[in-house]
Amino acid sequence: MIRSLLEEARALWRARVLLKVMTRREIAARHAGTALGIAWPYIQPLLTVAAYYLVFDVVFSMKLGDGAPTKAVGAFLVVGALPWMAFCDAVSRGMNSLIEAGGVLQKNALPPVVFPARSVLASAAIYGPLIALVALAYIPSHGFSPALLSLLPLLALQLLLCVLLGYALAILAAALRDTVQVIGFFLSVGIYLSPILFPLTLFPEAWRWVLWLNPMTAFVMAYQSVLLLGAWPDSSVWIAALAWIAGLALVLNILVKRSRDQLVDWL
C-alpha cells in the first residue's frame, strides 16, 4: 500500500553517508560569513524565547487564568513556541529543498528524498539541543519527572512528521510554485491555531476541533504536559500525532508514485 514510500526509505538508507555530509554542509551554510559562526543558528531562537520570558514574565508579569498548566505567560509560551519554530524551519526549508536542488538533480541521478531529509535533519540538529536545554531550564516545573523520557519519542515523531510533510510539500512546490506562498501564509498564522499562545481550555469548546487541524497541536500539548506539569502526555495526544503521521505517509506515497517520472522536468 505504501510501496513507493518504502522504496524512498530504502534509497535514503543507501544514501545515508551522502546525507550525513550534506546535512553538515547545510548547517555550515546557515552560518557562513557570520562573526559568531556555528553559534549563530542557536542564538537566534534562544533570543526569541528569552524575549518572551523577559517581556511577559519580567516586565509585565502577566498571568494565565485557571485551567492553564502554569500561570506565567512567558514560561507557557516558550514551551510551545520553540517546537513550533523548529517545525516551521524544517517544513519551510524542506519544502524549498527540491526547487533549490533542481540543477543538481538534472545533472545527477540522486534520490530526491535526500534533499528534504537533509534540510529537516539540519533543522533538527539546531533545535533538538535547544529543546533539551529548555527541558533542563524547566527543572523547577518537572523536577526530573520520569515523564521526561517521553521527550525522546516526541522528538523522533516530530522529526518524522517534518520529513514526511517537508517532502510532500517539496513535490507539490516543484509542480506548482504557488505552494510556497500558500504554505508560507499558513505557517505564519499557524501559531494562532494551536495552544501555543493560550491554553486549549481558553479556546471556545465548539471550535477546538480547528486546533487539531494543525499537526503541531498534539506535540505542543505533549511538551506542555511534560515540561510544565511533569506528567506523561495523554493518550489522545499520541493518537493524534500518529494519525497525522499515518495520513501524511499515505499522501506522500501517492505523490511520490505519481511524480516519479516528471519530478526532474518540473524542476
Side-chain angles (χ1 to χ4, degrees):
M1 189 175 182
I2 55 171
R3 183 177 302 173
S4 297
L5 193 58
L6 291 175
E7 291 176 0
E8 293 295 294
R10 286 192 287 267
L12 190 61
W13 174 253
R14 289 193 295 268
R16 60 188 182 279
V17 176
L18 174 63
L19 177 61
K20 183 178 180 181
V21 173
M22 291 175 63
T23 301
R24 287 179 176 174
R25 291 181 178 177
E26 170 84 5
I27 296 173
R30 296 191 187 188
H31 62 78
T34 62
L36 295 177
I38 188 62
W40 187 244
Y42 298 92
I43 290 175
Q44 285 181 306
L46 280 178
L47 289 176
T48 301
V49 297
Y52 284 144
Y53 176 79
L54 178 64
V55 172
F56 293 104
D57 287 357
V58 177
V59 178
F60 294 109
S61 298
M62 296 178 66
K63 301 295 181 182
L64 293 170
D66 296 334
T70 182
K71 297 298 183 182
V73 173
F76 178 83
L77 284 174
V78 169
V79 170
L82 190 58
W84 174 255
M85 287 189 286
F87 171 78
C88 290
D89 187 75
V91 171
S92 178
R93 293 179 185 273
M95 175 177 60
N96 288 285
S97 61
L98 290 181
I99 295 176
E100 295 172 354
V104 176
L105 286 171
Q106 288 172 354
K107 298 176 182 178
N108 300 276
L110 296 173
V113 65
V114 170
F115 294 92
R118 171 203 62 183
S119 297
V120 172
L121 287 175
S123 294
I126 293 172
Y127 283 92
L130 295 181
I131 294 175
L133 184 61
V134 167
L136 292 176
Y138 278 67
I139 289 176
S141 297
H142 56 68
F144 280 115
S145 167
L148 281 175
L149 295 175
S150 63
L151 285 180
L152 292 177
L154 276 174
L155 290 172
L157 287 176
Q158 183 173 338
L159 177 64
L160 179 57
L161 174 80
C162 291
V163 171
L164 294 173
L165 184 56
Y167 190 16
L169 292 175
I171 295 174
L172 291 174
L176 188 64
R177 297 299 195 271
D178 293 351
T179 302
V180 176
Q181 283 70 38
V182 172
I183 298 302
F185 169 76
F186 281 112
L187 290 178
S188 64
V189 302
I191 192 171
Y192 303 104
L193 298 176
S194 63
I196 297 175
L197 303 178
F198 48 82
L200 185 67
T201 54
L202 294 185
F203 204 78
E205 188 172 357
W207 290 94
R208 287 179 189 174
W209 62 270
V210 176
L211 300 184
W212 294 100
L213 297 178
N214 187 331
M216 279 300 292
T217 291
F219 290 93
V220 168
M221 292 180 64
Y223 290 124
Q224 290 171 348
S225 295
V226 175
L227 299 182
L228 296 177
L229 300 175
W232 294 92
D234 190 76
S235 59
S236 61
V237 171
W238 295 106
I239 293 172
L242 292 173
W244 263 105
I245 289 173
L248 285 172
L250 293 175
V251 170
L252 180 57
N253 183 73
I254 295 172
L255 290 174
V256 169
K257 183 178 180 180
R258 294 188 176 182
S259 67
R260 182 163 290 157
D261 296 331
Q262 296 88 16
L263 183 58
V264 175
D265 295 331
W266 292 340
L267 299 172

